[in-house]
Each structure stands twice: as structure tokens, then as C-alpha cells.
Amino acid sequence: MSHPDFPTYRGRMEYVCLECNARYPGDDLLYTCPCCGGVFLLENLDFDRLKERSGAQWRELFDARATSRSTALRGIFRYYELLAPLPDEEDILYLGEGFTPVVEAAPALRDRVGVPFAYKNDGQNPSASFKDRGMACAFSYLKWLCRHRQWDEVLTVCASTGDTSAAAAQYAAYAGAPLKSAVLLPHGKVTPQQLSQPLGSGAVVLELPGVFDDCMKVVELLAENYRVALLNSKNSWRILGQESYAYETAQWYGWDMTDLCLFVPIGNAGNITAVMSGLLKMLDLGIITCLPRVFGVQSAHADPVWRYYDAPVGTRHWEPVTVTPSVAQAAMIGNPVSFPRVRQLAETFVEKGGEKAFQVLRVSEQQIMDATILANRHGHIACTQGGECLAGLLSARQLGLISGNERAVLDATAHILKFSGFQDMYFGNTFPPEYGITPDTSLANRPELLLPQDARTGRDVAEFARMGAEAVVRRLGLNPR
Ligand SMILES: *Cc1c(COP(=O)(O)O)cnc(C)c1O
Ligand SMILES: [Zn+2]
């Protein structure tokens, strides 16, 4: 049944609680530690067996898999052994996620920034954000688990107003029975665009009066007491899937991380956790021989991780912040659930890569929005979080943190179309004061109506076309040929 390319290796996965170090077998549906409520990282007890292959052999294998005709190996599971080596081929969901393009900065933009860089367009995933990487992994695991446990129904639930619910609803819709999905939203607190993705995917969309945090509490109660798979950011299977971003980036650069700097926006901090975890695994196996530098970026309106690392070593202490409205809305989180994961991984990262290997930058709302507009005026498709990364790169240049012979890869975590409302506010100069953004009005771009509203009435097509053409000629100053 299985494709000849599909790996035979299986791992022994265990949940490890980052608070109390308790361990639980990976074939249980666990969300947070039943003892203390801490978050988990998943560990493969048979990871060291992977060292029977050399780094060069792994690189060769992953390069060879790039041409595999097995659907299961075309997405994030190309790196099966490093991710979540449990599901069989039949369990793996592939909706076209992963292998998002790395697009070099347009020459004019590169010159302006003063350092070569590229965007990795994670907005070109199926539901238009990087969340698909984690969902592909979580759902493949769930399919495997249902088959093994012979469960005939599992409900997946998440509280979200954005990209997580869009991705969860889409993967559940594709998977079908025995998986079903419901999303819980705060009534009246989501825009029509944010609603349209889970509705279109046929998820049960439930609303509660209250805010996002209230919905979150409700789904956590459900997860404690009923058989539901909670797909919020604490879900540790999602982290494994998101590691694929690091593997793909390394592979794209020929596994050579010399002088490379990765910029990642930090919200709940799952993404940066995954990127660092993936890089460390590759280093451990000799797939890469040095670590790239990783720069986390936060908005000044939601900057708890920046505050923590801004303090000198020895005086650091963790404190959630109260957020204020941010255009990097998907990262607007004052108490990131994955912070314990970041702290643990950053320590190892700096140990192996030097103290400059992991840094967190803080940028203003103004810088984020200006950078988003700037990127997209140069042909990119950066969401506001992708703009946040460019703002981070510009700021790192200004602070002298990056030299001219380094190059950067910026994570455009979603497609700009999901965040076009902020572009509208920029062009229309309609930001509410709490954002603190003054648009560069010379960049305002709006459609221009060439003829009066009633110009078509009472005219035949030929006459109307002539008038229209004349108006275009006047506007663009065209010369006759
Ligand atoms: C979720 C999300 C983020 C934040 O990622 P974390 O893993 O929560 O740090 C950034 N950008 C987009 C578009 C997202 O959907
Ligand atoms: Zn615990």
C-alpha cells in the first residue's frame, strides 16, 4: 500500500512538561500538563537513532525526496523523521502546505535597505498563513490516533478570531470523518473577513458574548472534561509542523547557514519556538554546521518578550503586558503561551550559536505600517506581520546589529489580503488614534473615476469607448504612435 519512498522509521514521542518535567506518552490526546497546567514540548526518545545517518546522508535524502511522487512527502512531511514520525502514509493530510516561495527583495527595495534579503511567503499556504504547517501536522497526528484508538468521532475545537480557526476549519473539512471542527468566537468582535474562512469550510461556528479570552477559557474547560482536540497555540503537535519552515529555509540555501539572519514576528511565540527547535535539531544531526541568527520582532504595543530579553542576563524577569491595538494584529498578545518554550530554546540556541544568535527587536506601529506598504509597493505580498519583520531588519541595520555581508530571510506569515483593512486605513488616513500611525499621504493610492457616473447612459458603446479612451489618454499623458 505504502509508497516505496515512505520512511519506515517511527519515533517514540513523549510530551515533556516545561514546568514540572512530567512526561506522558505521545499517543494520548493531551493539551497541557494534567499535573500543573504547563505547556509541553514533544520529544522523540529515539532521536539519537537518527544519528546513524550522517548529516550529508540526511541532506541527500531530503534533496532526493524533493522529487518523490508520494503526496505525503510533498508537504511538511518531507522532513518526516525530524517532525512527528508517527503517522502512516494514509494518515498524512496534504493540502498544498509548505514549500512556500523564497522571493528575493526587489532590487530597488534591497538597495534601500542596504542588505540582501528575501521574503519567504508563508501567505502562499492554502489558508493563506503559516498556521497551515502546524495544522497539517496536528491533523495527521489526529487521523493516526483515531485509527489506532478506533475512535469514531473526535471534535476539534479552537477559540480564535483569525488564522488559527481558518486553518483548523479547512483541514478538518478536508479530513472529514471521524474529525469534525467547531470554532468558538466572541460575538460581534470579528470582522466579516475573519468569519468567512471557517464558515466557508463548513465548520460549526459558535459565538459567545464576551471577548476572546472568555472563549479560550470555555474551550479549555471542554478539553479538560471531554474528548475534544484543542487546536489553540498550546497544542504541541502544531509546533512540530511549524518546524518545517526552518527545514525548508535551510534546504533552499543549500543547507549553508553562513551569514544568514532569520526574522520572525512574535505573538504567542509558537512560530519562533518552532524555528529555533528545527534549527537545533538540524545542527544536532549535522545537517547544518552552524546556526543562522534568529531575530524575533515585536510591536511596541505588544512587547513582553522584547522586555524580557532587553534586561541584562541575571536581571531578567517575566511579566505579561497589557496590549494596545496593533496593526500586527495576529501577534497582538501580551501573555504569549509559548514563552516558556522560547526561554528554554533560546538558552540552548545562544549556548551553541553565541550570544548574538538570538535577539529580540522592538518596532513602532508606524514602522510596521510604513514597512508593510514599502514592501508591497515593491511587488511583495507581506502582511502586517511580514512588514513587522522588515521594520525589524531596518531597525537592526540602524542599530548596527547586522553587517553588509549578512543576508536576511523575512517571514511573511500571512497574505496581505487578510489584512487589507489596515492598508485601507493607511491610504485613507483613518487610523483610530490608539494606533499612533500617521500615514505618508504621498503614498495614498485610490481608484480614480474617469468619467461622470451617468456617462454611459444614452450613449452607444462606440461613443462611450471613445470618451473612455480620451480620458485615459489625458490621465496618463499618452502620445500617439
Ligand atoms: C499566528 C500568527 C502570528 C504569530 O505567530 P505566533 O506563533 O503566535 O508567535 C504572526 N503572523 C500571523 C499572520 C499569524 O497568523
Ligand atoms: Zn507539569
Side-chain angles (χ1 to χ4, degrees), residues 3 10 60 71 78 94 118 172 179 201 243 286 310 312 409 425 453 464:
H3 195 279
R10 295 293 181 273
E60 228 168 82
T71 312
R78 179 188 294 177
Y94 173 67
L179 298 170
S201 298
E243 286 177 2
D310 188 51
V409 180
M425 289 186 202
Q453 288 280 10
F464 182 74

Side-chain angles (χ1 to χ4, degrees), residues 239-466:
I239 302 281
L240 290 178
Q242 288 167 202
E243 286 177 2
S244 59
Y245 181 93
Y247 305 140
E248 288 172 19
T249 305
Q251 187 165 23
W252 181 255
Y253 285 95
W255 311 102
D256 179 6
M257 302 282 91
T258 321
D259 293 331
L260 204 65
C261 300
L262 309 185
F263 283 75
V264 182
I266 303 180
N268 249 329
N271 201 22
I272 195 153
T273 296
V275 168
M276 286 197 288
S277 169
L279 291 167
L280 287 169
K281 283 186 192 172
M282 284 189 285
L283 187 72
D284 199 15
L285 294 175
I287 298 172
I288 57 174
T289 51
C290 68
L291 291 172
R293 298 167 71 198
V294 171
F295 290 85
V297 191
Q298 293 210 295
S299 159
H301 285 193
D303 60 357
V305 182
W306 177 82
R307 281 170 193 251
Y308 179 84
Y309 285 103
D310 188 51
V313 185
T315 67
R316 289 174 179 166
H317 86 115
W318 174 243
E319 206 175 331
V321 303
T322 306
V323 298
T324 47
S326 170
V327 294
Q329 198 170 47
M332 200 180 94
I333 292 163
N335 189 12
V337 298
S338 282
F339 181 72
R341 292 166 168 150
V342 175
R343 184 159 46 191
Q344 169 152 332
L345 287 162
E347 204 174 302
T348 317
F349 210 79
V350 167
E351 210 176 274
K352 309 215 173 203
E355 63 167 333
K356 298 213 161 65
F358 173 75
Q359 277 165 278
V360 182
L361 298 162
R362 180 170 72 163
V363 292
S364 69
E365 289 293 309
Q366 182 76 48
Q367 289 173 307
I368 296 174
M369 209 52 228
D370 288 344
T372 306
I373 300 291
L374 180 69
N376 297 339
R377 287 179 75 88
H378 285 90
H380 296 279
I381 50 170
C383 63
T384 42
Q385 294 69 221
E388 186 174 23
C389 288
L390 178 54
L393 175 60
L394 286 162
S395 154
R397 280 291 285 164
Q398 251 167 18
L399 296 168
L401 301 176
I402 288 196
S403 68
N405 51 23
E406 290 184 281
R407 55 202 169 134
V409 180
L410 316 188
D411 191 346
T413 46
H415 200 291
I416 179 57
L417 288 176
K418 288 205 186 213
F419 296 87
S420 60
F422 292 117
Q423 178 184 291
D424 295 344
M425 289 186 202
Y426 195 93
F427 290 163
N429 196 0
T430 55
F431 275 106
E434 54 273 27
Y435 286 92
I437 294 174
T438 311
D440 177 348
T441 45
S442 72
L443 297 178
N445 205 2
R446 261 173 263 170
E448 306 165 35
L449 188 63
L450 287 172
L451 295 173
Q453 288 280 10
D454 60 355
R456 181 68 180 86
T457 329
R459 292 200 167 88
D460 65 17
V461 171
E463 189 189 353
F464 182 74
R466 213 163 34 243

